[in-house]
Amino acid sequence: MDAAFWHERWQRGEIGFHKASTNPLLQRWWPQLGVDAEAPVWVPLCGKSLDLIWLRSQGHPVRGVELARSALESFSDEHGLDLQWQTEGEFEVAEGAGFTLYCGDVFALRPEHLQGIGAIYDRAALIALPPEMRARYVAHQRALLPAGWRLLLVTLDYPQEQRPGPPFSVSDAEVRQLYADCSIEVLEEKDVLADHAVFASQGMRSLTERVYLIAD
């Protein structure tokens, strides 16, 4: 799960995690966060997700981080955005049209990158990381965020032995351990295996998708 793994996935077009439409879970549950329209939103491991466009359409300045520059360049090209690139420390940064997108290692982020963030949307970050990285990722991000943040988190939960990740299985118990001192509410929980024929063909017998509202 090093940088080369993800660069190779993007170069070979193995991006099954990229969705061709806005995530309906985001559209359904985002209002529950009660975030001011002008509040900046943070999207970790954002790729070229259409969810970025939807969040911006709601009025939010959108910031994200992504390891593969090709993903951010595709995002800019596919939506006709005139994003300007510059180098800031360890990151290459694409900025414009209400977006600030950092290309680099999520663990290299510093407090100034998340200054003023009001909410976080995580559909593809936590489940992209193996178990040994997840606790480090959550602890690092929480150390950078200003007080009062709210998180819309989407996870997948299945018997990990039935297939290798990513996406990795993240149990409800693990979410509650990672965010033990936070307010945690399950907004939606259902088995979605029928919607993922590839996973079913790999021998999976269940696939539970959960949506959480987590608050500092």
Side-chain angles (χ1 to χ4, degrees), residues 96-215:
F99 297 97
T100 303
L101 306 176
Y102 298 94
C103 180
D105 184 355
V106 66
F107 292 108
L109 291 164
R110 300 185 301 277
E112 56 264 33
H113 296 124
L114 274 65
Q115 184 176 3
I117 291 295
I120 309 100
Y121 171 59
D122 182 342
R123 182 197 70 81
L126 191 65
I127 61 174
L129 300 175
E132 62 273 15
M133 293 183 69
R134 291 198 287 264
R136 180 185 169 208
Y137 159 74
V138 171
H140 178 68
Q141 181 167 254
R142 291 186 62 186
L144 305 181
L145 286 164
W149 53 264
R150 298 170 75 79
L151 163 66
L152 188 68
L153 172 67
V154 182
T155 65
L156 296 173
D157 186 2
Y158 60 91
Q160 189 67 81
E161 67 274 10
Q162 291 182 9
R163 74 176 300 276
F168 292 96
S169 175
V170 180
S171 69
D172 180 65
E174 182 176 357
V175 170
R176 294 181 184 280
Q177 181 179 14
L178 291 171
Y179 294 96
D181 56 343
C182 297
S183 168
I184 302 174
E185 178 184 358
V186 177
L187 299 174
E188 184 172 326
E189 177 178 352
K190 64 178 180 179
D191 191 308
V192 294
L193 185 60
D195 300 329
H196 297 272
V198 172
F199 288 174
S201 71
Q202 294 171 343
M204 290 179 60
R205 295 184 295 276
S206 65
L207 180 65
T208 300
E209 184 174 60
R210 293 190 187 92
V211 184
Y212 295 88
L213 193 167
I214 301 176

Side-chain angles (χ1 to χ4, degrees), residues 1 10 23 51 60 64 73 89 110 119 125 131 151 162 168 200 204:
M1 297 304 302
W10 280 100
N23 190 333
D51 297 342
H60 299 291
E73 289 176 337
R110 300 185 301 277
L151 163 66
Q162 291 182 9
F168 292 96
M204 290 179 60

